[in-house]
Amino acid sequence: MHYLSTRGRAPALDFEQATMAGLAADGGLYVPEAWPAFSADEIRGLRGLDYAQLAQRLLARFVGDSIDADTLARLTVESYRGFSPPGHSTAAAHSTVDPAPLTALDDSLYVLELFHGPTLAFKDFALQFLGRLFGHFLGRRGQTCTILGATSGDTGSAAIEALRGIEAVTLYMLHPRGRVSEVQRRQMTTVLDANIHNLAVDGDFDDCQRLVKALFSDDEFRARHALAAVNSINWARIAAQVIYYFYAALQLGAPARAVNFAVPTGNFGNVFAGYVARRMGLPVERLIIGCNRNDILARFFDSGIMRRRKLHATISPSMDIQVSSNFERYLFDVLGRDAEQVRDLMTVFAARGEFTVAPEVHRRAAELIRAHRLTDAQTRAQIADTHRRNGILLDPHSAIGVAAARACADDGVPTVALATAHPAKFDAAVAAACGVGPEWPPRLRDILQREERVTTVANDAAEVKALMERGESGGRLRGDGRGRGGPGGRSA
Ligand SMILES: *Cc1c(COP(=O)(O)O)cnc(C)c1O
């Protein structure tokens, strides 16, 4: 299996190379040269597999010759072993835990709980696997690398948890200072392993993403530090997220019965994995995306115009994004895989902060996808309503998915809303919405007492570079927020 850049000017790579490269050298994103297809019979043959077995069967098609079958089996088993069964402390080492329980809210609406991993958000599904891939590939090559990432909250902790203690990897994780929740921040900054460096950037998430892109496009710096990425621009993350779409749909009767998925969306990575599942043959009738006030995608699906606007802070901060990187992969397909056109649109977007697609392209893009936007007040109302009706506490992101499902689903087709974070991760917002605070799972209990380590940095690529150079030569980085972030502290 080979991977192509959406912008057509980077070499085609195999799975290992695409995983290690992250972003393509021409600024594009890697996609498989062709979508691996599963027939209805093959999909039927996937029924009854446990999560790791299913992962192995699906991922084998993306991995190609890069990993042998036994190693892939081991990596998938290890990746999903650390997930907790709902209501329990940690997974019993040998019991088969369902890492993605499906719960019915009513006859046709289901919630897929993707928040039972080590950091209580769906990103663990991709990053637990990606961290092991890095460890495996680097070990085999006898190499080391520096991973550079940006996070609006959940990616950072999931990456840190997946990579802590892996000696071949040094991780620099940028987060927007003061714009992630305290629990999110502490899940990152209380990991004190020597290979983990947290940088708090004076800026918003898009600034962080821009800094990462700037450093990646500096060829000399990138080569010297062997830079690699764990943001959702990394193809392996998308591949790993495809699995739970199959897992849920199989339980609801696929391939015989079609399903809709409703996905709270920021960078378009999660919902894009649903699109990939559909291209692989899974009967996905419709993909419904939920947005918060940062509704660039909803506006695009309404109008065919992608236009950047000012970023607003909301109670669903992991979706506070104004440029959805993974949308480029979708656009590539919608444009008939015409990399020239993708490159032209992205050039226009970088220069003017907007682009417009032809009416025919807009129609094609919107055929499969419905978008729904919620204000914070509507999100709170959804949390309260689901608690009242179903006795279930949703975090704000998950509530946006459920509300979008309720607003956009057609009668007769079961809809699965993806619950992307544990309510305890956003407990203040949940308590404000319905008067009931979620119980903190054991993984979080002592987090307010643990020591923090973080370095504040200006929104400036040269400064981030200088800091990384010092970190590289001077060994362990010293933070300026050491031990100072008591409960309620927002300024680490
Ligand atoms: C990252 C994240 C999202 C958005 O997912 P994308 O793949 O960026 O669209 C939604 N909810 C939560 C809790 C997240 O952490």
Side-chain angles (χ1 to χ4, degrees):
M1 167 69 80
H2 277 83
Y3 292 84
L4 313 173
S5 166
T6 49
R7 299 194 193 176
R9 294 201 179 163
L13 302 180
D14 68 16
F15 179 79
E16 174 177 358
Q17 293 165 326
T19 300
M20 298 313 293
L23 194 69
D26 59 1
L29 306 184
Y30 279 107
V31 289
E33 62 190 339
W35 299 113
F38 284 73
S39 67
D41 273 345
E42 286 175 305
I43 293 175
R44 221 168 279 120
L46 300 172
R47 284 186 181 164
L49 298 180
D50 71 26
Y51 196 88
Q53 290 167 334
L54 179 64
Q56 192 189 332
R57 295 276 280 276
L58 297 175
L59 290 170
R61 299 280 184 98
F62 291 115
V63 163
D65 299 331
S66 289
I67 304 175
D68 65 79
D70 287 348
T71 306
L72 183 60
R74 178 174 59 75
L75 294 176
T76 53
V77 167
E78 286 175 8
S79 294
Y80 303 107
R81 196 160 54 190
F83 284 61
S84 308
H88 292 80
S89 51
T90 46
H94 298 294
S95 72
T96 322
V97 168
D98 179 356
L102 191 63
T103 310
L105 292 190
D106 61 37
D107 288 350
S108 61
L109 180 57
Y110 299 80
V111 169
L112 185 65
E113 297 180 9
L114 299 176
F115 51 72
H116 298 292
T119 69
L120 308 172
F122 86 97
K123 291 185 173 75
D124 289 324
F125 279 89
L127 283 160
Q128 284 292 312
F129 178 63
L130 185 63
R132 284 170 174 83
L133 279 182
F134 273 104
H136 174 67
F137 289 146
L138 290 168
R140 184 161 86 179
R141 295 168 166 198
Q143 291 176 352
T144 61
C145 78
T146 300
I147 290 179
L148 177 62
T151 183
S152 56
D154 295 326
T155 300
S157 54
I160 287 167
E161 207 49 61
L163 294 167
R164 62 189 299 179
I166 296 186
E167 271 179 36
V169 175
T170 305
L171 173 64
Y172 288 88
M173 185 53 66
L174 278 55
H175 69 265
R177 182 170 179 238
R179 292 180 193 235
V180 299
S181 80
E182 179 173 14
V183 170
Q184 285 181 316
R185 186 191 76 237
R186 285 178 163 274
Q187 282 186 311
M188 298 190 278
T189 57
T190 59
V191 174
L192 303 178
D193 296 61
N195 68 325
I196 304 297
H197 304 297
N198 280 292
L199 307 186
V201 174
D202 276 321
D204 60 29
F205 173 66
D206 284 340
D207 294 325
C208 296
Q209 254 189 334
R210 235 185 335 265
L211 288 172
V212 168
K213 282 211 172 193
L215 269 59
F216 267 94
S217 39
D218 179 336
D219 292 338
E220 188 275 330
F221 186 83
R222 173 182 177 154
R224 189 153 46 83
H225 290 265
L227 284 194
V230 293
N231 280 95
S232 58
I233 53 176
N234 194 304
W235 170 257
R237 277 186 63 178
I238 306 287
Q241 291 173 172
V242 169
I243 300 155
Y244 47 72
Y245 285 91
F246 273 83
Y247 189 67
L250 284 163
Q251 291 174 59
L252 293 176
R257 194 156 71 135
V259 288
N260 300 321
F261 285 95
V263 188
T265 298
N267 241 332
F268 206 76
N270 200 2
V271 69
F272 186 73
Y275 168 78
V276 174
R278 186 175 195 268
R279 296 302 306 254
M280 291 169 73
L282 194 70
V284 176
E285 179 87 10
R286 177 160 291 170
L287 290 169
I288 299 162
I289 63 176
C291 304
N292 64 24
R293 190 175 168 198
N294 301 295
D295 61 348
I296 185 169
L297 288 168
R299 286 184 280 114
F300 173 81
F301 284 107
D302 285 347
S303 66
I305 302 170
M306 187 72 85
R307 180 180 291 146
R308 231 189 122 96
R309 278 198 197 149
K310 194 167 145 320
L311 194 86
H312 297 282
T314 71
I315 60 168
S316 45
S318 299
M319 294 157 61
D320 288 350
I321 286 169
Q322 271 303 25
V323 180
S324 301
S325 325
N326 269 292
F327 187 79
E328 182 169 337
R329 289 187 159 114
Y330 185 61
L331 193 62
F332 181 66
D333 261 25
V334 168
L335 292 172
R337 303 206 135 203
D338 182 341
E340 294 286 320
Q341 274 195 66
V342 173
R343 202 172 56 244
D344 289 348
L345 288 175
M346 289 302 145
T347 306
V348 168
F349 190 65
R352 295 190 212 140
E354 75 173 79
F355 68 77
T356 305
V357 298
E360 167 59 18
V361 173
H362 174 222
R363 194 191 56 72
R364 231 179 299 140
E367 235 164 28
L368 170 67
I369 294 182
R370 293 282 174 282
H372 186 70
R373 67 173 74 72
L374 273 82
T375 62
D376 280 354
Q378 289 169 320
T379 304
R380 278 191 285 265
Q382 185 63 54
I383 294 171
D385 183 55
T386 305
H387 182 241
R388 201 165 42 237
R389 276 207 246 180
N390 304 100
I392 288 174
L393 288 179
L394 297 171
D395 97 284
H397 307 80
S398 307
I400 288 174
V402 170
R406 289 202 158 116
C408 302
D410 297 326
D411 290 342
V413 180
T415 299
V416 178
L418 306 195
T420 51
H422 193 289
K425 269 194 114 155
F426 301 94
D427 60 349
V430 174
C434 65
V436 183
E439 210 185 304
W440 277 33
R443 292 188 199 275
L444 282 185
R445 293 229 170 108
D446 66 340
I447 198 162
L448 295 180
Q449 278 78 50
R450 284 185 230 149
E451 181 189 353
E452 290 190 80
R453 189 159 55 90
V454 57
T455 303
T456 301
V457 64
N459 176 19
D460 179 71
E463 255 195 53
V464 176
K465 261 191 212 174
L467 215 134
M468 290 174 64
E469 303 282 11
R470 284 202 302 277
E472 289 287 316
S473 55
R476 182 169 166 163
L477 213 71
R478 293 266 152 193
D480 63 358
R482 219 186 157 92
R484 265 190 257 135
R490 300 217 98 255
S491 61

